[in-house]
Amino acid sequence: MPVYQTNLWVCEICGDTQSTSEETEPYSDPVVRPPDGIEWEYVAKDGKELLACPACQDALKPTEQ
């Protein structure tokens, strides 16, 4: 019987959700894989570190002057 590992990614800024799922071996160490190979990152907002999707990461980047 196969074992599936599912990771659910939830952007703490806009609420967007994405997930990844893959078949793994029983008792193997879990491996967290970002959705579509795109790295989600923690960003500082209002004095907190929040998990942000790529769109929110881009929106929160400081603008160059």
Side-chain angles (χ1 to χ4, degrees), residues 2-62:
V3 175
Y4 292 93
Q5 175 184 323
T6 301
N7 297 307
L8 179 64
W9 297 75
V10 180
C11 179
E12 296 178 294
I13 297 170
C14 72
D16 182 32
T17 60
Q18 294 185 15
S19 64
T20 61
S21 186
E22 64 182 61
E23 189 174 332
T24 63
E25 296 295 321
Y27 308 109
S28 65
D29 290 334
V31 177
V32 177
R33 303 219 189 281
D36 299 324
I38 300 171
E39 293 291 333
W40 286 37
E41 297 179 6
Y42 284 92
V43 296
K45 182 178 181 192
D46 300 329
K48 300 176 188 175
E49 291 287 319
L50 303 173
L51 183 63
C53 66
C56 288
Q57 291 173 37
D58 291 341
L60 292 175
K61 283 184 184 174

